């Protein structure tokens, strides 16, 4: 959620369309309710109005709680849709609970209530997306724009400036970079963007000529950043700090109280509280459905494994799970050996240890189907960083910074790295580094919508992969 700090230097930016958004939301909820009643041939009565009132009030409170009516100018559609659906989901829960507790008071049938709540969800989302598209087109023509500058002629600041200029639908006009350093200390490709000193930037902000200020300075310049923030507090500009790698690792950070002392968790998991419950429900539903569909194919695969080579049908390998604790991961056996000790050799192309049937199973990812049982047990997730053998973990944690952070979530059957091409053998350290980068990016950005996107990409792109040996 987007927390507001009433006493802070930087205040949350409230959308100029916030009032319009609130009114349209209320109209949509009311209109859909009346249309459902009309379709059922029912007339509105006092109990129906009471239920409508409860729904609208609960939705408005939830929307305010998640800051749904803030400016979404620079945010993604996915994020906007996510918070709108969360607000409506909680409101729907409140509405149905109210109807259940007071059945004698609420005259509307269960069908009417359910139809109304279901139809409102896509309608509340659709009008937002449509209106946002209209705003994008309007801004491309130079209307409803905001002026922005970057303080700190750094690579991250330069990258942001390019993104602003390339995405004209955001309606942000880039007015240059400002830095106090001598030209010789500024990267050559950035020098032409520097329009003046930091003091010049502050003057622009104080005169009201700038709407957004982006600070792109390293955290080592903490004192200088605080000075700039203090100077910016004498303007009406909205101020943002561009995170470097250190700050990026704080994106899942949470404040924790130890008695009267406040502590900040640095390396944390997104799966706490409601997030953990949501993720687990997602895993139970998806894995149950898939296991129901693949039960018979799994039986035939098991028979084929047993008949074509000696050894057990299921290969159980020790891997690191959530919080780095060892778990048993299930796979259909595809090799003549069962490496599970301190030294495990990765499968390679034309590996002699792989059985003929095993080669097919690995190529098509069918050997991993038993892992849906791991998901149902709670040891794994459908989507998450792929688990590696314990021996590989111990090897790579010494070579790759932040490697063990990928174990802050349950390992997955498919993941962000896999759909981006980093699946199968990692014969070079650079490939493993890229895989870890995608894994950490997934942890930072996780949402149910991202999981759905990864699952759909896994299905639509097929299970066959040239890198799977």
């Amino acid at each position: 959620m987007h927390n507001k700090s009433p006493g802070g230097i930087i205040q949350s930016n409230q959308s100029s369309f916030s009032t319009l958004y609130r009114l349209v939301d209320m109209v949509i909820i009311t209109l859909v309710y009346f249309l459902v009643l009309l379709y059922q041939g029912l007339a509105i009565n006092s109990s129906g109005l009471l239920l409508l009132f409860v729904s609208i009030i609960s939705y408005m409170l939830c929307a305010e709680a998640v800051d749904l009516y803030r400016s979404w100018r620079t945010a993604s559609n996915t994020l906007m849709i996510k918070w709108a659906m969360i607000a409506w989901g909680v409101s729907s829960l409140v509405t149905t609970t109210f109807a259940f507790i007071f059945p004698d008071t609420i005259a509307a049938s269960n069908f009417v209530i359910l139809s109304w709540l279901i139809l409102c969800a896509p309608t509340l989302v659709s009008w937002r997306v449509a209106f946002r598209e209209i705003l994008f087109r309007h801004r491309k023509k130079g209307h409803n724009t905001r002026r922005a500058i970057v303080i700190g002629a750094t690579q991250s600041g330069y990258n942001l400036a390019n993104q602003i200029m390339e995405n004209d639908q955001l309606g942000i006009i880039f007015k240059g970079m400002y830095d106090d350093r001598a030209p010789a200390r500024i990267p050559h490709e950035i020098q032409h963007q520097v329009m003046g000193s930091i003091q010049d930037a502050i003057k622009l902000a104080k005169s009201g000529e700038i709407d957004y200020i982006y600070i792109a300075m390293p955290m080592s310049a903490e004192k200088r950043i605080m000075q700039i923030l203090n100077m910016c507090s004498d303007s009406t500009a909205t101020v943002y700090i561009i995170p470097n790698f250190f700050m990026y690792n704080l994106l899942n950070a949470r404040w924790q109280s130890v008695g009267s002392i406040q502590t900040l968790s640095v390396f944390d998991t997104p799966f706490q509280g409601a997030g953990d419950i949501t993720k687990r429900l997602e895993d139970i539903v998806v894995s149950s459905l898939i296991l129901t569909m693949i039960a018979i194919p799994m039986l035939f695969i098991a028979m084929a494994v047993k008949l074509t080579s000696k050894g057990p049908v299921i290969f159980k390998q020790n891997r690191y799970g959530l919080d780095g604790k060892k778990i048993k991961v299930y796979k259909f056996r595809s090799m003549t050996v069962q490496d599970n000790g301190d030294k495990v050799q990765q499968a390679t192309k034309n590996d002699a240890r792989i059985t003929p049937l095993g080669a097919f199973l690995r190529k098509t990812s069918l050997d991993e189907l038993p892992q849906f049982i791991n998901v149902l047990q709670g040891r794994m997730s459908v989507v998450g960083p792929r688990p590696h053998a314990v021996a590989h973990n111990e090897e790579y944690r010494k070579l790759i910074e932040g490697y063990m952070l990928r174990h802050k979530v349950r390992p997955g059957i498919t993941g962000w790295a896999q759909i981006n091409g980093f699946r199968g053998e990692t014969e070079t350290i650079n490939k493993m580094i890229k895989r870890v980068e995608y894994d950490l990016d997934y942890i930072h950005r996780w949402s149910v919508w991202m999981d759905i996107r990864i699952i759909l990409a896994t299905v639509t792109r097929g299970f066959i992969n040239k890198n799977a040996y």
Side-chain angles (χ1 to χ4, degrees), residues 436-455:
V436 172
E437 286 178 358
Y438 275 106
D439 288 341
L440 297 183
D441 187 48
Y442 167 76
I443 295 172
H444 286 308
R445 296 171 53 193
W446 174 80
S447 68
V448 173
W449 311 113
M450 188 175 189
D451 279 356
I452 293 172
R453 175 184 171 188
I454 293 171
I455 292 171

Side-chain angles (χ1 to χ4, degrees), residues 95-110:
T95 304
T96 52
T97 302
F98 183 82
F100 177 78
I101 295 174
F102 304 103
D104 297 332
T105 305
I106 305 304
S109 67
N110 292 336

Side-chain angles (χ1 to χ4, degrees), residues 1-15 18 22 63-71:
M1 296 184 182
H2 311 282
N3 297 322
K4 296 180 181 180
S5 177
I9 294 175
I10 306 172
Q11 299 293 329
S12 297
N13 183 40
Q14 189 74 302
S15 172
S18 59
R22 290 181 177 91
E64 295 295 343
V66 299
D67 209 3
L68 184 60
Y69 298 114
R70 71 179 180 89
S71 172

Side-chain angles (χ1 to χ4, degrees), residues 350-385:
N350 301 319
D351 197 316
R353 301 171 300 164
I354 301 175
T355 66
L357 175 63
F360 171 75
L361 294 178
R362 296 172 74 95
K363 198 75 175 177
T364 56
S365 299
L366 293 175
D367 63 319
E368 296 174 358
L369 292 183
Q371 288 171 27
F372 284 103
I373 299 174
N374 285 129
V375 175
L376 207 55
Q377 292 172 331
R379 298 176 184 174
M380 291 181 63
S381 181
V382 175
V383 180

